[in-house]
Amino acid sequence: MSTRTPGSSGPAQGLCVSRVPGKPVTWEPDGRLAVHLWLRQDGRFDTDLALRLSVAEAEVLHAQLCYALADEPVTTPPGGTPYCRSHQREDAAARR
């Protein structure tokens, strides 16, 4: 999420949330999954935070991401592709 100041031609300012590069999703002691995020404000790092999801919330997000990615090429290596996307790799190979 970011906003642009009216009339500015520079980079977007405001709040920006992104995944922490290289930090995997982890299990929390309470049984939730944590997706580690960075928060930047006006282009400056502000803090780390985590999106904490129950198993049901994580399953819904996973399904929504798979549906959203349905028309995109699979970019993960064959052994690391989630099942919901592996059939897309197989379909693409069959079309060749």
Side-chain angles (χ1 to χ4, degrees), residues 22-90:
K23 192 159 187 183
V25 174
T26 58
W27 284 102
E28 296 287 293
D30 65 359
R32 292 180 171 266
L33 291 156
V35 180
H36 301 278
L37 305 170
W38 277 341
L39 176 66
R40 291 185 310 256
Q41 189 165 344
D42 297 329
R44 292 183 319 269
F45 172 78
D46 193 33
T47 191
D48 286 354
L49 58 133
L51 172 62
R52 291 183 169 81
L53 302 166
S54 68
V55 172
E57 291 167 331
E59 287 175 343
V60 169
L61 177 59
H62 177 252
Q64 290 173 343
L65 288 169
C66 282
Y67 282 117
L69 292 169
D71 293 331
E72 296 297 316
V74 177
T75 59
T76 53
T81 304
Y83 177 77
C84 67
R85 298 271 291 152
S86 63
H87 74 280
Q88 292 164 340
R89 177 188 306 281
E90 292 161 7

Side-chain angles (χ1 to χ4, degrees), residues 1-4 12-18 38-42:
M1 172 178 98
S2 61
T3 58
R4 186 178 294 280
Q13 297 295 302
L15 293 177
C16 180
V17 178
S18 59
W38 277 341
L39 176 66
R40 291 185 310 256
Q41 189 165 344
D42 297 329

